[in-house]
Amino acid sequence: MKEKLAEQWHHLSEADVIDSLETTSDKGLDASDVGHRQEQFGSNTITQKQGRGLVVLFLLQFHQPLVYILLAAAVVTSFLQEWVDAGVIYGVVLVNAVIGFIQEAKAVRAIEALAHSMTSTATVLRGGERRQIPAEELVPGDIVLLQSGDKVPADLRLLSSRELQIDESTLTGESVPVQKQSGLLPHDTQLADCINMAYSSTLVTYGIATGAVVATGNSTEVGRINELIASADILATPLTRKITRFSGLLLYIILGLGAITFIVGMLRGSSWIEMFMAVVALAVGAIPEGLPAAVTITLAIGVAKMAKRNAIIRKLPAVETLGSTTVICSDKTGTLTQNQMTVQEICAGGDLFLISGTGYTPEGDFTRDGESVHPQENPALRECLISGLLCNDAIVLKVDNEWQVEGDPTEAALVVTARKAELEREHFATDLPRMDAIPFESQYQYMATLHGNSDSCVVYLKGGVESVLARCSYALSRTGERVALESDALYRAAEQMAGKGLRVLAFARTESVMPDAALAHDDVAGGLTFLGLQGMIDPPRPEAVAAVKVCRAAGIRVKMITGDHAITATAIARQIGLIDEPGVSSQMVTLNGRDIEALSDTELIAAVERSVVFARVAPEQKLRLVVALQSSGNIVAMTGDGVNDAPALRQANIGVAMGITGTEVAKEAADMLLTDDNFSTIEAAIEEGRGVYDNLVKFITWTLPTNLGEGFVIMAAVFAGVQLPITPVQILWINMTTAVLLGLMLAFEPKEAGIMGRAPLDPRQPLLTWEVGTRIVLVGFLLLVGSFGMFEWELHRGSSVEAARTCAVNVFVFGEIFYLFNCRSLRYSMFRIGLFSNRWVLGGVGLTLLLQMLFTYLPAMHTAFGTRSIGLREWGLILSASFVIYIVIEVEKWIRCRNSSEL
């Protein structure tokens, strides 16, 4: 076999293709050729890439600074023989590792789903005989026969075809079936325009064809997508990146402070054992043991909330990523649009009619110049509708209260429009039954049908504007009279409709055919009467228009990436509001696949920032677009439903697949599924994601002052040369009980008003902003003063060390309780957001109070934690110190709000 498999097959003639493949079109390959080529090229299957083993994948879940800190805490508690606390920490680490392992393992299944998408059979010619074989046995040079309903088994160069139409939406994003034909194409023809090629995994919707296999397995276009999926990076989410940086910083801070504390204590004359235990207490106090559990649980709660709004989350971190999204790259067909072709304009009898209603529901009105029109009273309009209804093979049925289509979506739109005018095929079954037809052929660009009986007959014809007008000599006037054809005016009308993104079809008729003759092309070669033009489009979803508006208000840019034509895509973008948004319309650039291909990576980064619509985009170009946007620091959400979308879905920070129309490949590569395939669901998910991120920040703002305060207390005691106010085991009690019963209750905090009215969070903004950091230090200092002061005061009054430590522990716990109500909103008072709007907080506080009473008064707890009972006077001081924390933070929030409003 000649080494020409790297050729641009669409640019070779049929004879050259046969010669290059060393096969014959009438007999195909013989058995010996097949065996040799199977050895050379392998089976027609997708090769699964070797990834990390399951054991390595699981162990990598522990390769994080925060996990190192937690493991260190577990080792310390084990050293202290506090097996319950150590077990809890080990359990937190293990649960987080298992969850991460499961989610990451699922992502790898995208390639497996892609391999399954190629499983099918093929009809081939081998040794001159027609055979049906498993598609995996195909080799380059095989001659494949295609017919309606077949899945294309490999990449084929078409040798011959008749009325062939192929649905390539999963590969190119083209919203309607593509009309295919053999013949030579220019060398630089884009993938979506290669009409002489049939690609693996696409579907034949109409016609028949013969093609030669030019690529199998990994060499096919869908195989190349497999390579793109494997090469796409799985990016860390904004939160995980920030927590990783914060954890690394915290690790060094703890080690540094521990070393300083140990050295200072030794210089003051303390024993090394005493200082070692002080450093252990410092480390245990500074480690936020509850943070990983809080992150996981808060994200899981976000998952449940999103599921109620038709968004299924496959990977937990995706919840938080949604809240940080700055750009949404959305597919057009089915997501922003309804994926139901709809006739919107008809030009007939010199008038332009607008038709309301969308989709396949046969409901809508006809208007002319803003006034309602009844089609039955307008002869030209009625005849144009009848022509579209009868010169048509599509069937529109109502199944389970939903309108479904059998046949071509374009023809279905013509049927629905006729029904809006109360016209049905059954009405013409007696007078105008179909007698013969000329199916659509690419070389003629029209379809014709013969109707009538022995007394009279009529031919209806529909097709491309140029093809139909070339065969017309007359036109039907508004009153139904035949008048001279004005071609220039009709061409201008067609161009105006096409400029709006409408797909325009022309209609004509003739009555000169004899009823006993078969319909032939010569019968419609000229002398026809022009009936009108019908312009249709896949209309935008009304809810998508509203969702785009909300996204704009939230500072989120929406970009359309589609395989459709630029004019159509731009028209839809204008209707949805992507182009006419303030500050964009004057700078908006529509890029097509050829433009993108010509740009370098650096040039593309600048181009994607100013562009809104990307049309005729190939799979690898979608991937480049996502990478270019990420290079500018954007958090990118990418939607898609086809095989061609999978690489970009996996590369994006948040991949969103369609749950209804999406392929398994797209679903497996995505982080989130939309059960209703609706763009507005993305907006709802982003809203929930912002709420989740807010609650995570609230938890971090609440929990870190405790760790900081505990560290301050230990260091202050060492520097002052006094006994530790709290012991390591008491620190563990504070951290573990309050994190679960108090901090986690913030995960249930409702979203604050106006959450979609603010700009997206800057991905470069640190986890601890200046505002949050200063508050954490302030509260940590107040806890230090309250607990250390209470400890020293009780010792000064003659209380035992155990009783003094009990008071210090309770200052921490009750200080956290009061501070919890501060953290329900980082800007507003709890009375403004509603005292009872989160009943989980009240329940957590109640359980914490119960545990603290047991901690303080139960003899068994005295033995386990070294505590003693205290009196009412001590409780009064504890509550006073805790209430001071609440008052100080509320005043601080009030000052910040006043200063920001003045700015």
Side-chain angles (χ1 to χ4, degrees):
M1 178 177 174
K2 298 179 181 179
E3 297 297 328
K4 285 193 176 181
L5 292 186
E7 290 276 6
Q8 297 286 334
W9 294 103
H10 63 270
H11 187 55
L12 298 178
S13 67
E14 287 79 6
D16 288 339
V17 170
I18 293 296
D19 181 58
S20 298
L21 294 171
E22 295 184 356
T23 186
T24 58
S25 59
D26 57 340
K27 292 184 178 181
L29 301 173
D30 58 33
S32 60
D33 286 333
V34 171
H36 174 72
R37 296 187 187 196
Q38 285 178 340
E39 292 178 3
Q40 181 181 359
F41 298 103
S43 63
N44 181 32
T45 56
I46 294 292
T47 301
Q48 299 191 27
K49 302 298 179 182
Q50 293 295 324
R52 299 187 181 103
L54 294 180
V55 174
V56 174
L57 199 62
F58 179 72
L59 292 178
L60 285 175
Q61 306 304 316
F62 298 93
H63 184 52
Q64 303 175 45
L66 187 59
V67 174
Y68 294 152
I69 297 175
L70 287 173
L71 289 174
V75 171
V76 170
T77 52
S78 299
F79 177 79
L80 295 172
Q81 297 185 355
E82 297 296 334
W83 307 116
V84 174
D85 295 320
V88 169
I89 300 175
Y90 280 126
V92 168
V93 173
L94 184 61
V95 167
N96 279 279
V98 170
I99 292 174
F101 169 74
I102 292 174
Q103 297 300 329
E104 192 168 341
K106 284 183 177 180
V108 180
R109 290 169 52 196
I111 294 176
E112 298 177 8
L114 189 58
H116 293 321
S117 74
M118 290 191 64
T119 302
S120 60
T121 60
T123 303
V124 300
L125 287 177
R126 283 188 176 173
E129 296 182 1
R130 180 175 178 142
R131 299 179 184 177
Q132 190 169 61
I133 63 172
E136 65 183 25
E137 297 180 6
L138 285 174
V139 295
D142 264 324
I143 303 300
V144 176
L145 308 178
L146 297 176
Q147 63 181 3
S148 180
D150 285 349
K151 176 189 278 189
V152 179
D155 283 3
L156 310 178
R157 170 61 162 86
L158 298 178
L159 304 176
S160 63
S161 66
R162 181 174 174 81
E163 305 120 38
L164 181 66
Q165 296 183 24
I166 295 182
D167 181 356
E168 295 184 337
S169 59
T170 60
L171 183 66
T172 66
E174 179 73 56
S175 57
V176 296
V178 179
Q179 298 165 3
K180 297 284 188 174
Q181 64 183 30
S182 57
L184 198 66
L185 293 176
H187 179 80
D188 60 350
T189 303
Q190 297 291 302
L191 175 70
D193 297 320
C194 288
I195 60 174
N196 61 1
M197 298 289 295
Y199 295 106
S200 177
S201 294
T202 59
L203 299 174
V204 179
T205 60
Y206 193 78
I208 59 175
T210 301
V213 175
V214 296
T216 59
N218 293 334
S219 299
T220 63
E221 287 297 326
V222 75
R224 290 177 54 251
I225 292 174
N226 172 51
E227 298 289 340
L228 293 174
I229 295 175
S231 65
D233 296 326
I234 301 177
L235 303 180
T237 70
L239 181 67
T240 56
R241 286 197 297 264
K242 291 174 183 178
I243 288 182
T244 298
R245 289 195 295 267
F246 169 73
S247 301
L249 177 63
L250 185 59
L251 176 63
Y252 292 117
I253 290 175
I254 292 173
L255 294 176
L257 293 179
I260 293 172
T261 302
F262 187 85
I263 293 172
V264 171
M266 293 296 292
L267 292 176
R268 293 185 61 87
S270 301
S271 67
W272 72 270
I273 295 179
E274 185 180 356
M275 283 303 93
F276 177 75
M277 294 306 297
V279 171
V280 167
L282 173 63
V284 171
I287 294 172
E289 294 92 345
L291 182 57
V295 170
T296 300
I297 293 173
T298 303
L299 293 177
I301 292 171
V303 167
K305 290 181 178 179
M306 291 183 184
K308 295 179 181 178
R309 303 185 72 171
N310 299 319
I312 304 299
I313 302 297
R314 294 186 63 249
K315 303 172 186 177
L316 276 181
V319 178
E320 173 270 329
T321 310
L322 278 165
S324 305
T325 299
T326 59
V327 176
I328 301 175
C329 294
S330 178
D331 189 28
K332 177 183 72 68
T333 305
T335 307
L336 292 170
T337 64
Q338 301 180 33
N339 199 21
Q340 296 183 348
M341 295 296 289
T342 305
V343 175
Q344 293 187 337
E345 295 185 4
I346 296 178
C347 177
D351 295 321
L352 181 64
F353 300 90
L354 304 183
I355 301 93
S356 62
T358 58
Y360 296 137
T361 303
E363 297 176 358
D365 298 319
F366 293 75
T367 59
R368 179 182 56 202
D369 298 330
E371 297 183 1
S372 180
V373 174
H374 197 293
Q376 302 284 10
E377 299 175 357
N378 189 298
L381 175 58
R382 184 176 185 275
E383 275 298 304
C384 184
L385 292 171
I386 292 175
S387 177
L389 177 65
L390 298 184
C391 188
N392 196 315
D393 291 322
I395 300 174
V396 182
L397 302 171
K398 194 171 188 179
V399 180
D400 297 330
N401 293 322
E402 290 188 5
W403 291 97
Q404 298 183 4
V405 171
E406 295 180 5
D408 185 82
T410 300
E411 291 193 326
L414 301 175
V415 173
V416 172
T417 306
R419 286 182 175 176
K420 292 178 181 179
E422 302 176 357
L423 296 172
E424 299 279 357
R425 284 200 183 107
E426 292 75 11
H427 299 166
F428 306 94
T430 302
D431 296 333
L432 294 174
R434 181 184 291 193
M435 302 170 63
D436 198 6
I438 300 176
F440 181 90
E441 294 183 42
S442 299
Q443 66 186 95
Y444 291 104
Q445 291 293 311
Y446 66 77
M447 172 185 178
T449 54
L450 173 63
H451 302 265
N453 49 46
S454 57
D455 297 328
S456 62
C457 60
V458 61
V459 173
Y460 286 112
L461 182 139
K462 78 168 187 292
V465 176
E466 292 184 0
S467 177
V468 173
L469 283 178
R471 289 164 171 78
C472 293
S473 302
Y474 309 97
L476 203 64
S477 70
R478 180 184 305 169
T479 58
E481 298 175 352
R482 197 168 68 167
V483 297
L485 181 71
E486 297 181 5
S487 298
D488 292 342
L490 293 173
Y491 276 122
R492 286 195 299 271
E495 289 175 0
Q496 290 176 357
M497 295 170 74
K500 301 173 187 177
L502 299 177
R503 183 181 184 186
V504 184
L505 292 179
F507 300 84
R509 77 175 187 189
T510 181
E511 300 176 354
S512 62
V513 180
M514 297 301 296
D516 58 346
L519 188 60
H521 289 290
D522 290 341
D523 298 321
V524 291
L528 276 67
T529 300
F530 178 80
L531 300 178
L533 305 170
Q534 295 198 40
M536 64 193 70
I537 199 170
D538 181 11
R541 291 176 179 263
E543 58 271 28
V545 177
V548 167
K549 186 176 182 180
V550 173
C551 287
R552 284 169 46 194
I556 302 170
R557 292 176 293 159
V558 180
K559 297 179 183 293
M560 179 192 294
I561 301 179
T562 178
D564 229 335
H565 293 280
I567 294 178
T568 303
T570 303
I572 290 293
R574 194 174 300 280
Q575 293 180 35
I576 291 174
L578 298 182
I579 293 179
D580 294 329
E581 57 186 287
V584 172
S585 58
S586 60
Q587 306 173 7
M588 193 282 300
V589 176
T590 299
L591 291 180
N592 58 41
R594 191 165 297 172
D595 299 328
I596 296 171
E597 186 176 4
L599 296 174
S600 67
D601 291 341
T602 303
E603 293 170 333
L604 185 60
I605 292 174
V608 296
E609 286 297 320
R610 65 174 181 267
S611 303
V612 175
V613 178
F614 304 91
R616 308 302 279 176
V617 176
E620 64 272 15
Q621 293 173 337
K622 290 187 178 184
L623 187 59
R624 284 190 68 200
L625 291 173
V626 173
V627 171
L629 286 166
Q630 290 171 334
S631 298
S632 300
N634 290 295
I635 303 300
V636 181
M638 170 75 187
T639 75
D641 57 3
V643 174
N644 62 320
D645 298 318
L649 288 175
R650 196 163 191 236
Q651 173 68 36
N653 301 89
I654 173 75
V656 184
M658 304 299 107
I660 298 175
T661 60
T663 61
E664 287 302 314
V665 179
K667 292 177 184 178
E668 290 295 330
D671 304 284
M672 182 175 80
L673 306 179
L674 305 184
T675 59
D676 58 357
D677 289 11
N678 199 326
F679 181 86
S680 63
T681 302
I682 303 175
E683 178 267 317
I686 289 175
E687 182 180 349
E688 293 293 343
R690 289 190 173 191
V692 167
Y693 186 86
D694 279 0
N695 290 346
L696 285 173
V697 173
K698 291 173 184 177
F699 174 84
I700 293 170
T701 306
W702 172 85
T703 193
L704 290 186
T706 303
N707 303 110
L708 186 64
E710 291 166 345
F712 281 166
V713 167
I714 301 301
M715 293 182 66
V718 171
F719 290 175
V722 300
Q723 298 182 76
L724 297 181
I726 49 179
T727 64
V729 71
Q730 289 171 345
I731 290 174
L732 279 174
W733 167 267
I734 296 171
N735 290 354
M736 299 307 294
T737 57
T738 58
V740 173
L741 296 179
L742 297 180
L744 285 182
M745 300 304 106
L746 291 173
F748 298 94
E749 198 65 39
K751 297 184 296 293
E752 294 187 26
I755 197 170
M756 289 299 285
R758 64 195 191 204
L761 186 68
D762 187 347
R764 295 164 293 188
Q765 179 177 303
L767 185 63
L768 299 181
T769 61
W770 173 255
E771 178 181 343
V772 172
T774 54
R775 185 173 298 175
I776 289 173
V777 173
L778 176 60
V779 176
F781 177 76
L782 293 175
L783 287 172
L784 162 67
V785 173
S787 60
F788 194 86
M790 188 75 179
F791 176 76
E792 290 297 323
W793 174 257
E794 288 300 312
L795 290 180
H796 180 73
R797 290 185 60 255
S799 299
S800 66
V801 174
E802 290 80 5
R805 284 174 171 165
T806 302
C807 292
V809 169
N810 277 297
V811 168
F812 267 100
V813 173
F814 279 83
E816 287 187 85
I817 289 175
F818 279 92
Y819 183 51
L820 180 69
F821 290 101
N822 293 125
C823 290
R824 290 193 57 204
S825 173
L826 299 182
R827 292 180 58 83
Y828 306 115
S829 165
M830 66 174 177
F831 297 104
R832 178 169 176 174
I833 64 175
L835 180 61
F836 300 102
S837 59
N838 185 355
R839 298 183 184 274
W840 289 91
V841 166
L842 301 179
V845 169
L847 288 175
T848 301
L849 293 176
L850 176 61
L851 285 180
Q852 282 309 112
M853 293 302 102
L854 296 176
F855 176 85
T856 304
Y857 296 108
L858 191 66
M861 302 294 275
H862 294 171
T863 303
F865 292 96
T867 57
R868 292 294 183 272
S869 301
I870 58 177
L872 290 177
R873 184 180 58 81
E874 287 80 6
W875 280 116
L877 293 174
I878 291 170
L879 293 175
S880 298
S882 302
F883 185 65
V884 167
I885 295 176
Y886 175 79
I887 293 299
V888 169
I889 298 305
E890 286 302 307
V891 170
E892 182 255 358
K893 287 197 290 186
W894 177 78
I895 292 174
R896 287 186 186 276
C897 287
R898 187 184 66 175
N899 291 341
S900 62
S901 63
E902 289 178 355
L903 293 176

